[in-house]
Amino acid sequence: MNTAKRKTIRKQKNKVFQEKVIQISRVTKVCKGGKKLAFRVVIAIGNENGQVGVGVGKADDVVNAISKGITDAKRNLTNVILTKTKTIPHIVTGDFGACSVLVKPASQGTGVIAGSSIRILLELAGIKNIVAKQLGSKNLLNNARATICAFENIKNPMTVAQDRDIPFESFYD
């Protein structure tokens, strides 16, 4: 009975998050008996309300690799601070490996102007007006992780006001 309740809770949580596969790679490992074929999947999940995550799954078949990637992405969720116009409060950069990502807020009606795996993450985070540029390497996984680093570099206006010892209302004068 207790396990049945847990399964229904998991199903409800899965409905909240949307999943998009960024990349499926066929990888081989040379063993004593020959080459062993496996699959690596890079997957992104998000609830279109400020939560997004990236995960990697490896398995002998694609379905198991995708399920492993989803569980890994759920472990690595990050929160994105959004404004009323569904954009970010300020310009941020994110670095991961040789990849660098520049993310700028945009005015209402601009849409999502980004490419590669950055666009997938921005849409899953629920951001509607933004401009992003990938700099450096074109590796899909590293660009996705650099975008997550950029999301983590976004500062909350309330904490910035407290750090500067000024009233929060003066930010929007």
Side-chain angles (χ1 to χ4, degrees):
M1 183 99 177
N2 196 8
T3 57
K5 287 182 182 179
R6 287 182 189 165
K7 287 181 181 178
T8 56
I9 292 170
R10 286 183 192 152
K11 286 181 183 177
Q12 290 171 355
K13 286 183 180 179
N14 287 341
K15 289 181 183 177
V16 174
F17 289 103
Q18 291 184 351
E19 302 125 8
K20 285 193 179 177
V21 175
I22 296 173
Q23 182 182 39
I24 298 176
S25 303
R26 255 180 48 171
V27 292
T28 55
K29 180 170 80 172
V30 179
C31 296
K32 186 178 177 182
K35 294 180 181 175
K36 186 176 187 295
L37 179 70
F39 293 93
R40 184 188 84 159
V41 175
V42 179
I43 195 159
I45 64 166
N47 65 352
E48 294 188 356
N49 199 17
Q51 279 194 317
V52 69
V54 174
V56 178
K58 299 174 189 173
D60 291 340
D61 60 336
V62 178
V63 177
N64 287 341
I66 288 174
S67 64
K68 285 182 181 182
I70 290 169
T71 57
D72 186 39
K74 285 183 181 176
R75 284 189 204 122
N76 300 318
L77 282 175
T78 185
N79 291 321
V80 182
I81 298 167
L82 300 176
T83 62
K84 286 184 252 178
T85 58
K86 295 291 185 180
T87 187
I88 58 174
H90 56 86
I91 298 172
V92 290
T93 58
D95 297 318
F96 190 89
C99 295
S100 183
V101 172
L102 174 70
V103 185
K104 290 182 180 181
S107 60
Q108 198 164 5
T110 304
V112 179
I113 301 173
S116 180
S117 57
I118 302 168
R119 180 183 195 90
I120 294 170
L121 284 170
L122 293 171
E123 289 173 350
L124 287 174
I127 299 172
K128 303 289 183 203
N129 304 301
I130 200 145
V131 177
K133 177 74 178 157
Q134 74 181 28
L135 308 165
S137 175
K138 295 179 182 174
N139 185 314
L140 292 173
L141 175 59
N142 285 350
N143 272 314
R145 289 190 172 156
T147 308
I148 295 292
C149 289
F151 289 156
E152 291 171 352
N153 291 337
I154 297 174
K155 295 178 183 170
N156 187 354
M158 188 70 83
T159 57
V160 172
Q162 289 174 351
D163 291 343
R164 296 181 186 176
D165 292 328
I166 57 175
F168 178 69
E169 293 77 23
S170 67
F171 271 52
Y172 300 104
D173 287 339

